[in-house]
Amino acid sequence: MTEAMDRERPAPLDHALLEPDMFDPVCPSSAMPFRVGDKWSGMVIRCLEGGPRRFGELRVPLRTITPKVLSETLRAMERDGLLTRTTYDENPPRVEYALTPLGRTLIPLLDAARAWSEAHLPALLAARRAHERLS
């Protein structure tokens, strides 16, 4: 190895190694209702932010989601207590979805994610373009 190569190599990091068991198997993060970057749950929350909506109403702004995936997303969010599904005994039957108080607690998190995205989207897109040029 040459002296020039030694100067170019970054110095080793001086910090503790990561522990293999640093994530407790019963850690609450494994029960999170949706992952960061989950495509549909955040959008459904935004759609329901103003009040109850029917399935067909949700499909308008979420036009690229298939009915099957929207149904799965709504069921998962209901299971997690983020929304309610109310069926009305009418002809034709009517079903509405609404955020629960627990679901509404996610709105500030979505607001923060939106603010971060607006502030950093140009840098993120530039990084992606640079990466694609190198690939």
Side-chain angles (χ1 to χ4, degrees), residues 12-20 22:
L13 298 175
D14 189 23
H15 55 52
L17 295 175
L18 294 175
E19 294 293 327
M22 67 186 278

Side-chain angles (χ1 to χ4, degrees), residues 32 38 95 103:
M32 287 298 291
D38 176 274
V95 176

Side-chain angles (χ1 to χ4, degrees), residues 17 27 45-46 53 59 65 82 87 90 94 100 104 106 119 126 133:
L17 295 175
C27 176
I45 291 169
R46 284 291 182 211
R53 298 286 179 180
R59 295 272 336 268
I65 190 172
L82 301 177
T87 305
E90 298 175 353
R94 178 170 55 108
T100 63
R104 289 195 168 281
L106 294 170
R133 281 194 301 271

Side-chain angles (χ1 to χ4, degrees), residues 21-133:
D21 59 347
M22 67 186 278
F23 297 109
D24 189 328
V26 294
C27 176
S29 66
S30 63
M32 287 298 291
F34 58 92
R35 296 179 309 275
V36 173
D38 176 274
K39 185 171 186 175
W40 301 113
S41 296
M43 291 182 194
V44 168
I45 291 169
R46 284 291 182 211
C47 290
L48 297 175
E49 188 174 9
R53 298 286 179 180
R54 296 177 72 174
F55 189 88
E57 291 177 291
L58 295 172
R59 295 272 336 268
V60 173
L62 302 174
R63 61 190 168 277
T64 59
I65 190 172
T66 66
K68 177 183 184 252
V69 172
L70 179 56
S71 293
E72 290 170 353
T73 300
L74 291 168
R75 275 195 299 273
M77 293 175 71
E78 182 182 15
R79 179 202 65 215
D80 290 337
L82 301 177
L83 59 80
T84 58
R85 179 182 187 273
T86 305
T87 305
Y88 296 92
D89 190 21
E90 298 175 353
N91 194 3
R94 178 170 55 108
V95 176
E96 286 185 343
Y97 299 90
L99 288 177
T100 63
L102 180 62
R104 289 195 168 281
T105 65
L106 294 170
I107 293 171
L109 298 174
L110 293 174
D111 292 341
R114 177 183 283 170
W116 183 92
S117 296
E118 288 172 352
H120 300 286
L121 188 59
L124 183 124
L125 294 175
R128 285 182 182 174
R129 284 190 301 273
H131 184 268
E132 288 170 4
R133 281 194 301 271

